[in-house]
Amino acid sequence: MTWPLRLQTPLRGISRAARYIQAMFPPAVLVPIGLVQFFSVYLALEALAGVAPLRIGGYAVLGAAATVLWTLLIRIDDDLTDAGHDARMAAAGDPRYRTRPTVTGAITRRELRVLQGTTLGLFVGTNLVFGGRAMRIAAVGGYVVTWLGFRWFFIGSLARGAPPLAYLARKILTVLFGLYALAVFADDFGARGLTGWVVPLLLAPCAGVAAWETARKIRMPGDETDYATYSKALGWRTAALLPAAFVTLSVACLLPVSGVAGLGPGYAAALLVAAAVTVGACLRFRFRPSRARARLGGYAQLYGVVAHGGLALALLVHHGVVRA
């Protein structure tokens, strides 16, 4: 079938955008991650507030979908901001960048901006039209802070002086997702249950993301390129300890929260095992370095799945859930 000429251009753009999303934001992987990111915080807030069984209503469904859109927006913002850098890294021969859609021309910057605007419109629009008051404030304010973070409006000297540390600071903006989940909770249940335990609950995802961010950017000295890594900036011996420190911080936040939330020993045991495996991998590389042992990103990902996916699952198992 041949489409009319006036339809071919937009259809081609949609097809290219779909291929970009599949390559850089694979839905089968990142949609569940976005849902876990929201529900692990939202349901934990319910448990801390004594809600039993846990309830999921319209605001929560909207909040979960909006969180996925927000993570897609960050992916697009990242690619637009770093398009020139990615092209230079590909030209220098770094294999991580050769097949990126913005490098191969599979999508143009103009098409990526159209996708950015569409996704932003859906994210903000659905919150403004269907969300509660706190959700509107958190969504608009959170994305403004995210946008500023990508342009280093407030820490430009850090970005110029130590790029890996700037990237790490940007990952800490993960707390905005937690604040958004808290806003959804507030629109659903009010301020009850928002005690001091909210602080470690919101800090834990930041520590988990920081562990993954540092773990995936560690290389042996002979494998370094122009790519900004923590091992290049800090030395591989020091860099190897960063993911271990962030995992330890995450555990220190989640263990007491899980106890107050009424979860059984199963989650705590799984969390400690996953943390021990990840920290052990970091220490093994630190004291017996090799190219294979430098691949720490997978361990940090495993820890994140257990820590936050396991938290959401444990909450559902221990407290049950009903439709609000």
Side-chain angles (χ1 to χ4, degrees):
M1 178 180 179
T2 301
W3 292 96
L5 183 60
R6 66 179 180 275
L7 292 178
Q8 289 181 15
T9 299
L11 287 174
R12 188 180 300 115
I14 293 171
S15 176
R16 287 161 67 88
R19 288 198 295 270
Y20 163 82
I21 291 173
Q22 185 60 46
M24 300 304 295
F25 191 85
V29 176
L30 293 178
V31 169
I33 288 176
L35 297 178
V36 164
Q37 195 162 36
F38 174 82
F39 280 116
S40 62
V41 174
Y42 178 82
L43 295 178
L45 288 169
E46 287 194 33
L48 292 172
V51 177
L54 305 177
R55 290 186 278 166
I56 296 178
Y59 280 166
V61 172
L62 173 60
T67 299
V68 173
L69 286 172
W70 198 350
T71 56
L72 174 58
L73 266 174
I74 290 176
R75 174 72 266 171
I76 298 170
D77 284 350
D78 192 49
D79 283 340
L80 282 172
T81 301
D82 294 340
H85 167 269
D86 293 352
R88 290 191 296 272
M89 294 302 302
D94 194 306
R96 300 187 184 193
Y97 291 89
R98 290 174 182 169
T99 59
R100 291 203 169 187
T102 54
V103 172
T104 63
I107 194 167
T108 66
R109 294 190 193 187
R110 181 179 179 278
E111 290 168 334
L112 203 51
R113 290 191 186 95
V114 171
L115 180 60
Q116 178 192 44
T118 302
T119 309
L120 178 59
L122 286 171
F123 171 68
V124 174
T126 53
N127 275 280
L128 291 179
V129 174
F130 301 108
R133 181 174 180 272
M135 291 173 67
R136 296 184 194 120
I137 295 171
V140 175
Y143 184 70
V144 168
V145 175
T146 304
W147 185 88
L148 291 174
F150 271 93
R151 282 143 189 85
W152 301 119
F153 180 76
F154 43 87
I155 50 174
S157 59
L158 174 60
R160 290 189 295 272
L165 298 182
Y167 293 138
L168 181 57
R170 195 160 72 193
K171 295 298 181 184
I172 295 173
L173 293 175
T174 301
V175 73
L176 296 172
F177 293 114
L179 290 173
Y180 175 71
L182 187 150
V184 179
F185 172 86
D187 280 330
D188 271 332
F189 299 98
R192 70 187 179 107
L194 298 182
T195 67
W197 289 110
V198 169
V199 176
L201 178 63
L202 298 186
L203 183 59
C206 297
V209 169
W212 173 76
E213 162 66 15
T214 51
R216 73 190 183 96
K217 293 182 179 178
I218 295 175
R219 297 180 180 181
M220 290 289 290
D223 295 329
E224 297 285 9
T225 65
D226 291 338
Y227 184 65
T229 62
Y230 297 93
S231 49
K232 189 176 180 180
L234 304 174
W236 63 268
R237 290 178 178 85
T238 300
L241 300 178
L242 286 177
F246 286 122
V247 166
T248 302
L249 174 60
S250 172
V251 171
C253 291
L254 288 174
L255 271 182
V257 165
S258 68
V260 176
L263 304 185
Y267 171 71
L271 183 69
L272 289 171
V273 169
V277 169
T278 305
V279 171
C282 294
L283 294 177
R284 184 179 63 168
F285 171 70
R286 170 63 177 77
F287 294 106
R288 298 187 65 184
S290 70
R291 177 178 294 175
R293 290 172 181 170
R295 301 188 183 101
L296 299 172
Y299 292 100
Q301 285 180 316
L302 171 65
Y303 172 77
V305 169
V306 174
H308 302 289
L311 177 60
L313 179 61
L315 287 163
L316 292 173
V317 169
H318 282 274
H319 296 290
V321 63
V322 295
R323 182 178 177 181

